[in-house]
Amino acid sequence: MEIETKHELFERMVLSTTALIIAVLLILLTLLGPLGLEILKHKTSPSAISQTQGQDLVNLILLAPLCLIGGILHLRRRAEAKYFLILVGIYVCLYTGLAYGIGQEWNHPSYSGNTEQYFWLFLSLIIGGLILFIGSLSMFTEDDAPEFNTRNLRIYAILMTVFLLFFVSMWLQEIIEVVSTGDTSTGSYQESPNVFWVIRYFDLGITIPLGFVGLYLLITRPKKAYSVMLAFYGFFVTLSTAVLCMALVMLLNRDPNLQTEGLFIFPILAILAWLGLFYLLKPKISNWWNLRGQK
């Protein structure tokens, strides 16, 4: 094992500690929120609360374990740590820290809550997510990228593009409806207008463009952009899984704001996202499995 320089030791300790702190904060957020003890009360509609429960569930069963495993492995100087840490930074920063922090109905007279008392939690997740994203990117080199089958990449990219366009169409139809009539057909916009615009701006301005950028890089330079693609697909996997959980919670709660077309689009997007991530990691998983078999 190579001897670490002082700055490498410092960076490893910062990144590992950040990952472990984020894991604790995500668990705390879930325990305090509407899925747990309901001490943290969001200023938003009942429908948005159902969506928050779905997102909190993903924070608990997917994101927190990834941070814990990645943080512990990185403390132990294990090379595979970066494949866990790279997956969580963007989502933790944007869709947990930032969306929870600003996506409240601050001026809506019908809702009360205490989310402003937990600004430190959301702010910590935003900063921690940025540190994880930047720090984990720097852990990769071009040698980490495996060889890819070009034909399979193109078939996957076409499928993913089709369903991303369905996603775009669904959100644009709702925006046009709101601009034209002042509300959605289910009345969800009037219930929580701030959440509506936060999610649409995030998805149409960040999530979907990242999807197309990720597909382009996957086809044109899969080896050079390997770490960036892992970060993107980690974001797609966590986001699509969270959206799917939100839809399931809304379905169980018989939420009238649930979009029926979403029950078709979101599961397929989640499956495609997981398949894309598995494709990127499959050679690494095979190598780890073979190394374990040789011991």
Side-chain angles (χ1 to χ4, degrees):
M1 186 176 289
E2 296 181 2
I3 298 175
E4 285 183 308
T5 64
K6 289 183 179 180
H7 79 268
E8 287 173 337
L9 174 61
F10 171 75
E11 290 171 4
R12 180 167 63 86
M13 295 305 295
V14 168
L15 201 60
S16 301
T17 304
T18 299
L20 295 175
I21 290 173
I22 287 177
V24 172
L25 292 178
L26 290 172
I27 294 170
L28 181 64
L29 180 63
T30 302
L31 292 176
L32 294 176
L35 193 64
L37 301 173
E38 297 188 81
I39 296 172
L40 192 167
K41 299 182 184 298
H42 295 272
K43 293 183 178 179
T44 192
S45 67
S47 178
I49 293 295
S50 293
Q51 295 172 50
T52 301
Q53 289 175 325
Q55 190 167 351
D56 282 348
L57 183 61
V58 172
N59 289 339
L60 183 65
I61 66 175
L62 180 60
L63 285 167
L66 285 173
C67 290
L68 282 172
I69 295 169
I72 292 170
L73 288 176
H74 197 41
L75 274 176
R76 299 176 62 185
R77 298 183 65 182
R78 297 284 294 274
E80 56 265 38
K82 58 190 174 187
Y83 294 98
F84 292 90
L85 299 177
I86 193 72
L87 303 178
V88 299
I90 300 177
Y91 184 86
V92 167
C93 176
L94 293 180
Y95 263 84
T96 303
L98 197 58
Y100 277 32
I102 66 175
Q104 308 291 325
E105 304 302 327
W106 302 107
N107 298 320
H108 203 296
S110 301
Y111 308 132
S112 61
N114 58 1
T115 44
E116 64 275 6
Q117 297 176 20
Y118 294 89
F119 82 94
W120 56 270
L121 198 160
F122 307 130
L123 187 61
S124 298
L125 289 172
I126 295 170
I127 296 170
L130 281 175
I131 292 172
L132 277 190
F133 173 59
I134 296 170
S136 57
L137 277 179
S138 66
M139 296 168 68
F140 286 84
T141 67
E142 220 174 288
D143 294 334
D144 291 315
E147 296 294 333
F148 294 104
N149 184 303
T150 305
R151 179 176 174 274
N152 290 343
L153 288 179
R154 289 176 178 170
I155 293 172
Y156 172 79
I158 291 170
L159 288 173
M160 192 69 169
T161 297
V162 169
F163 284 97
L164 281 174
L165 290 174
F166 273 128
F167 194 12
V168 171
S169 174
M170 187 172 71
W171 268 188
L172 287 179
Q173 285 177 12
E174 280 205 339
I175 290 174
I176 292 171
E177 188 177 26
V178 166
V179 172
S180 303
T181 68
D183 201 356
T184 57
S185 58
T186 62
S188 60
Y189 178 75
Q190 290 296 330
E191 287 184 6
S192 50
N194 199 32
V195 168
F196 178 91
W197 287 113
V198 166
I199 296 302
R200 272 61 181 180
Y201 274 119
F202 273 14
D203 284 346
L204 293 173
I206 298 176
T207 305
I208 293 168
L210 277 180
F212 287 120
V213 170
L215 290 173
Y216 177 77
L217 292 175
L218 193 62
I219 294 173
T220 59
R221 47 181 71 85
K223 290 183 72 68
K224 289 185 178 180
Y226 185 61
S227 60
V228 177
M229 286 191 299
L230 283 176
F232 286 178
Y233 278 89
F235 175 55
F236 303 149
V237 161
T238 49
L239 177 60
S240 60
T241 305
V243 171
L244 184 57
C245 283
M246 292 177 198
L248 291 175
V249 172
M250 293 174 74
L251 183 64
L252 290 173
N253 292 342
R254 298 181 180 179
D255 192 325
N257 294 326
L258 176 64
Q259 299 161 298
T260 54
E261 62 267 34
L263 292 174
F264 166 72
I265 294 174
F266 296 142
I268 294 176
L269 284 174
I271 291 169
L272 288 173
W274 277 100
L275 286 175
L277 182 62
F278 177 74
Y279 185 77
L280 292 173
L281 292 176
K282 182 182 176 182
K284 300 297 178 181
I285 295 171
S286 299
N287 289 340
W288 296 334
W289 186 260
N290 291 334
L291 288 173
R292 286 177 64 88
Q294 295 170 8
K295 291 182 180 179

